[in-house]
Amino acid sequence: MANRKRPEGMRDKPPVNQGDDISGVVHSVGEKVYVFKPGDRVMAFHEMMSPGGSYAEYALSWEHTTFPLPPNCSFEEGAAIPLAAMTAACALYAKLRLPPPFLPTSTPMPLIIYGASSAVGYYALQFALKSNIHPLICVAGRAAAHIEPLLDQSKGDTIVDYRQENDKVVAGLREALGDKKLEYAFDAVSEKGSYQNIAQVLDHQTGRITFVLPGKKYDDIPDSIEKTITRVGDVHGKPDDLREFGYVYFRYIGKGMAVGWFKAQPQEIVEGGLEGVQKGLEGLKEGRASAVKYIFRVGDTPGAGS
């Protein structure tokens, strides 16, 4: 979401390499780096708005936001993971404070994931399943079939179509909840009526909701509901310091990929390597990307390596 909106919001600022998802082979390491060595296959989250982004033959990342790419996973899968997967982890576990996936709950715990078929939502769904959080009320649209096989209807998991009128979406959320109290919601959309719909079913005394779009006031939600902004950049230490959280969860994500419970959002290779970045951004802006992550193979760029 942030990558789709950021370019147009920076028209008056100097150009910057905005590639923040990295997948490749370590070329060299800093003198205090002991976990990685040249030749290692890795995934990494580049520090946003800083030099050394991934739209280049060489990219930079900090050790704590770099993690091993399992041998059973492709570089394309690795490139689909870092920013979106960590956004989901921050939302569920740093902001909503839900039971972590390595200490799953045994108590029914309704959770709304609004935008569940997006990359961030898809990863949040996988985390929630590992945490044994149910019922999962997943709000999705034309890509709903992508997430449906993951849900457990016997535990109340369901999908609500956001393409309906808002009153029908709210009715669908209420029907999915039944007599259960909703205390947790992750709004991975944070616009076009999403949080207003959630606010109508979220408990006004004990409810918690986290959003992905900063710079908004979210005044349509009662003050008694706990509201937070999920900023994946916090794993780089600012404005909140989640560096230790990022270190732990990136490695846990890598382990999940290795054993198979955590899977990358399907990928679509954009032709032309780095020359396809503009085309990819336009596809995101126009809503053509549905249940896929655009991937740019640097080696496919005309003249790369010459």
Side-chain angles (χ1 to χ4, degrees), residues 93-258:
Y93 305 118
K95 298 301 181 179
L96 293 180
R97 303 296 177 94
L98 289 164
F102 37 82
L103 292 173
T105 183
S106 58
T107 303
M109 188 174 294
L111 170 67
I112 284 180
I113 302 176
Y114 212 111
S117 61
S118 67
V120 173
Y122 179 62
Y123 296 139
L125 174 56
Q126 293 182 72
F127 275 129
L129 290 168
K130 190 67 173 175
S131 292
N132 197 35
I133 295 171
H134 299 280
L136 292 169
I137 303 168
C138 300
V139 184
R142 68 181 187 273
H146 172 51
I147 61 172
E148 190 171 12
L150 299 179
L151 304 184
D152 187 343
Q153 294 184 4
S154 70
K155 296 181 179 179
D157 297 350
T158 190
I159 296 174
V160 176
D161 192 334
Y162 69 77
R163 294 172 295 180
Q164 308 172 83
E165 295 178 358
N166 285 334
D167 59 344
K168 292 184 178 180
V169 173
V170 173
L173 297 176
R174 286 185 173 136
E175 181 181 356
L177 283 167
D179 59 357
K180 301 178 185 66
K181 182 168 71 171
L182 177 69
E183 296 184 285
Y184 303 100
F186 175 30
D187 187 353
V189 177
S190 305
E191 60 181 356
K192 299 179 180 178
S194 59
Y195 54 90
Q196 292 93 338
N197 291 340
I198 294 171
Q200 295 190 55
V201 295
L202 191 62
D203 188 271
H204 285 193
Q205 301 304 316
T206 59
R208 298 179 181 180
I209 184 170
T210 190
F211 315 98
V212 293
L213 293 184
K216 303 179 73 170
K217 295 183 178 180
Y218 301 104
D219 291 335
D220 298 332
I221 296 181
D223 292 339
S224 56
I225 292 176
E226 182 180 308
K227 299 177 283 291
T228 58
I229 304 294
T230 294
R231 296 177 296 256
V232 68
D234 288 350
V235 299
H236 286 120
K238 53 188 178 183
D240 295 331
D241 193 344
L242 291 180
R243 284 175 291 188
E244 295 294 305
F245 178 94
Y247 180 90
V248 170
Y249 269 89
F250 271 132
R251 281 146 187 78
Y252 191 70
I253 289 167
K255 180 180 179 181
M257 294 173 67

Side-chain angles (χ1 to χ4, degrees), residues 264-286:
Q265 182 85 325
Q267 308 95 55
E268 180 178 324
I269 309 301
V270 181
E271 295 181 358
L274 297 180
E275 287 192 354
V277 170
Q278 180 65 30
K279 177 183 177 182
L281 291 174
E282 291 172 354
L284 292 174
K285 178 182 176 181
E286 296 167 7

